Amino acid sequence: MDAIDPLRMHVLWFPDWPLRAALGTAPPHPPTALVRGNVITACTDSARAHGVRTGQRRRLAQSRLPALRMLPHDTAQDERAFRPVLRLIEAHAPGVHLLRPGLAALRSRGISRYHGGEEQAAAALREVLGEAGYPEVRVGVADGAFTAELAARGSGDEGWAVIPPGDAESFLAPLPLEVLGEPELAELLRQLGVGTLGGFAALDALSVRERFGEQGARLHALARGADSRPLAPRAPDPQLARRIEFEAPLGQSDQIAFAVRQTADAVMLALADASLVCTEVRIDLTDDDGAVTSRTWLHPTCFDASDLVDRVRWQLESLAPPASDSGQDSDAAHAFRGIVGVRIAPVAVDDAAHHQPGLFGSGTDERLHHAVSRVQTMLGHAGVTTASVSGGRMLADRQLLTPWGERPVVERDPGRPWPGNLPDPLPAEVFTPMRPVHVTGAGGAVISVDARGALSCPPGLIDDSEVIGWAGPWPVHEHRWDAARARSGERFQLLDRQHRAWLVFHSEGSWWAEGRYR
């Protein structure tokens, strides 16, 4: 991973957050430690003063301080207790990112402009959180979240620290390697005579990548102050999910889609109240036997209520048995086991400010999205697809069609070598499946290809059109070890009298049209 120029970040650090979440009060705390698996996972300042440390065995910690209070560490409680803090930060500075419970990050640009500077913004955040009962918060401002977090941890009495732009490397240089959170790497570097981030940063980047791999290269970039971590949107609050129960099982997709409209509206209202939008959603369908069918849906921008209803309908229609030839109507074709409940749960959310239209509208992309989504609503989920390039030798294998809004999953890497694949330019039209054609020599003679690639006679006709130019053959052999998937033959390019250029495939005496050039 190559380093990129990091963004200016405000990072808010709440010291000993797991203890704050467990005890429910602001520090200072009495000597207390959290334990998971007989190992100390967190401890208060008062416990550290007596030699208790994170990572110690429970028995050793008790020997250091017999009066030490020990509580089980509930990581879910850490997250639950931090949600109100995130909402409070979001109310004053939209776009907060959760790094972990007790640690959150903001892009500096917006909040610094609003308050008149980075230091003023840090002071304002400290004041807001202090008034809400979180006086222990520390704020660090620097290039990238990694440097800003370390600045927050090293902030003095003021409660914030600002590292000027471009000074990240000099700030990090004297810090010990342990701040990278990789003890094995730190120990190995110490054996090599490197004990600080500055010493690590001075090593050649290419040599670090070759010796320690991509993870080592990323840590080396962090040591140089080049934080390349993309900030992910914070996880959605479980309260955003909504569920509807039906008094009697429903068996028609239109009935259920109509019934869940209010539920979809409720999800959108909950997102709006949190200044969020949903980019990925999970829909759970419960039938009258208690079985739950779940599917996760993506969106190219963000969902609205109508999009959620469409996804419910499409998921229901995928459960319906295929229509038979008995003449049953479309409503009957979409019948299935009775559904007694539908749950709509956002999986990934983002700050709503990132999806607001510009001053003069959102332009062509937004209009295209609405038009394509409307067509997809009418034709169904698979009615509109986007194309991606996949790896393979045959044209049909290299074409990957994904329903609009879904994330393409490319199983065959197109960047890998594919001996026998067709070089550019590729045909503009691809036949899936390949179309049978009739190719013969002059006068209708049968064309055969021997083991050396020699033709018994040149191509003269393709179907009923005269061939005026041709090239080939190019052998194609794949999956020879698998009789069910084995394929062997030769490719030709043919130009007919109507100046149509064809890509054809000859195998075992049969001819197939793979594509056509335009």
Side-chain angles (χ1 to χ4, degrees):
M1 180 187 299
D2 295 330
I4 60 176
D5 293 335
L7 296 171
R8 294 292 288 176
M9 302 296 301
H10 275 64
V11 167
L12 294 86
W13 174 57
F14 296 77
D16 297 329
W17 178 257
L19 275 304
R20 171 69 190 261
L23 300 175
T25 59
H29 297 123
T32 310
L34 300 183
V35 183
R36 184 169 60 243
N38 283 326
V39 175
I40 303 298
T41 57
C43 58
T44 61
D45 275 338
S46 54
R48 284 192 288 268
H50 291 82
V52 179
R53 297 290 184 269
T54 300
Q56 283 181 345
R57 301 294 296 179
R58 177 174 185 157
R59 188 180 297 276
L60 177 59
Q62 287 177 324
S63 68
R64 298 283 177 86
L65 183 60
L68 180 66
R69 180 187 181 190
M70 293 193 177
L71 301 173
H73 189 180
D74 183 359
T75 55
Q77 185 181 39
D78 298 346
E79 297 177 5
R80 289 194 301 270
F82 202 58
R83 289 187 195 121
V85 182
L86 287 175
R87 287 194 288 267
L88 177 61
I89 301 171
E90 186 84 31
H92 292 81
V96 62
H97 297 265
L98 172 64
L99 301 181
R100 62 178 179 271
L103 192 67
L106 290 163
R107 295 184 179 181
S108 298
R109 183 177 180 181
I111 189 172
S112 298
R113 284 187 173 184
Y114 181 79
H115 289 284
E118 294 177 342
E119 291 189 5
Q120 293 84 343
L125 289 170
R126 285 253 311 157
E127 181 179 357
V128 167
L129 291 166
E131 292 175 353
Y134 302 96
E136 73 275 18
V137 64
R138 298 289 183 267
V139 182
V141 187
D143 296 338
F146 174 74
T147 307
E149 177 186 347
L150 295 178
R153 291 177 179 273
S155 59
D157 296 336
E158 288 183 335
W160 71 79
V162 177
I163 309 302
D167 288 357
E169 185 170 2
S170 59
F171 166 74
L172 296 171
L175 298 180
L177 294 169
E178 283 71 19
V179 299
L180 291 173
E182 295 287 344
E184 293 183 0
L185 176 64
E187 179 61 28
L188 178 57
L189 289 173
R190 288 190 183 281
Q191 294 176 8
L192 298 175
V194 178
T196 63
L197 293 186
F200 186 29
L203 299 178
D204 178 68
L206 182 59
S207 299
V208 171
R209 185 185 296 273
E210 292 176 349
R211 176 63 178 83
F212 300 108
E214 292 301 322
Q215 176 66 2
R218 179 183 173 278
L219 296 174
H220 183 253
L222 293 182
R224 293 187 287 108
D227 192 346
S228 60
R229 289 179 297 176
L231 287 178
R234 62 188 175 93
D237 196 320
Q239 281 76 18
L240 297 176
R242 295 292 185 270
R243 181 178 179 85
I244 182 173
E245 303 283 351
F246 306 131
E247 294 183 359
L250 300 182
Q252 298 293 331
S253 60
D254 288 342
Q255 290 178 326
I256 299 172
F258 179 79
V260 301
R261 177 65 199 216
Q262 289 187 341
T263 306
D265 288 337
V267 172
M268 300 313 299
L269 286 174
L271 289 166
D273 289 341
S275 298
L276 300 172
V277 295
C278 177
T279 59
E280 185 175 354
V281 68
R282 189 182 74 249
I283 296 175
D284 302 327
L285 305 176
T286 305
D287 64 22
D288 49 4
D289 284 340
V292 178
T293 303
S294 299
R295 177 167 178 176
T296 299
W297 299 86
L298 300 173
H299 198 282
T301 55
C302 58
F303 286 101
D304 60 22
S306 297
D307 294 328
L308 295 177
V309 174
D310 285 339
R311 269 59 177 184
V312 172
R313 181 185 294 110
W314 296 340
Q315 187 166 332
L316 289 165
E317 291 174 356
S318 69
L319 300 178
S324 65
D325 297 331
S326 59
Q328 61 183 2
D329 58 26
S330 59
D331 289 337
H334 290 162
F336 36 76
R337 293 193 62 84
I339 300 297
V340 297
V342 178
R343 183 175 182 268
I344 302 175
V347 173
V349 296
D350 195 9
D351 179 18
H354 298 161
H355 297 261
Q356 294 296 326
L359 181 61
F360 300 102
S362 51
T364 304
D365 290 344
E366 188 67 17
R367 293 197 298 271
L368 173 64
H369 159 63
H370 284 298
V372 172
S373 296
R374 182 172 178 82
V375 174
Q376 189 181 37
T377 299
M378 294 185 291
L379 299 181
H381 178 233
V384 180
T385 58
T386 57
S388 302
V389 178
S390 178
R393 296 176 179 84
M394 310 303 290
L395 290 182
D397 295 337
R398 300 181 65 181
Q399 177 179 263
L400 177 65
L401 299 178
T402 306
W404 172 256
E406 291 290 300
R407 182 185 296 115
V409 179
V410 180
E411 297 180 353
R412 298 184 298 271
D413 183 4
R416 296 178 59 187
W418 293 94
N421 68 342
L422 189 69
D424 293 335
L426 300 176
E429 185 178 3
V430 178
F431 302 127
T432 307
M434 291 189 293
R435 179 187 301 177
V437 292
H438 190 57
V439 180
T440 61
V446 176
I447 301 174
S448 61
V449 183
D450 64 20
R452 294 180 176 271
L455 277 66
S456 59
C457 62
L461 294 171
I462 176 170
D463 288 339
D464 295 327
S465 182
E466 180 184 359
V467 174
I468 61 175
W470 63 279
W474 299 286
V476 177
H477 304 286
E478 61 179 359
H479 302 299
R480 297 180 180 179
W481 58 90
D482 187 346
R485 301 167 61 197
R487 179 158 46 190
S488 181
E490 301 83 22
R491 273 189 171 130
F492 293 82
Q493 290 174 329
L494 307 179
L495 179 65
D496 64 16
R497 179 63 66 180
Q498 285 75 35
H499 293 281
R500 296 175 299 181
W502 300 83
L503 178 69
V504 298
F505 182 66
H506 172 257
S507 179
E508 298 180 353
S510 299
W511 293 85
W512 309 86
E514 265 197 89
R516 184 162 53 193
Y517 297 87
R518 291 184 178 177

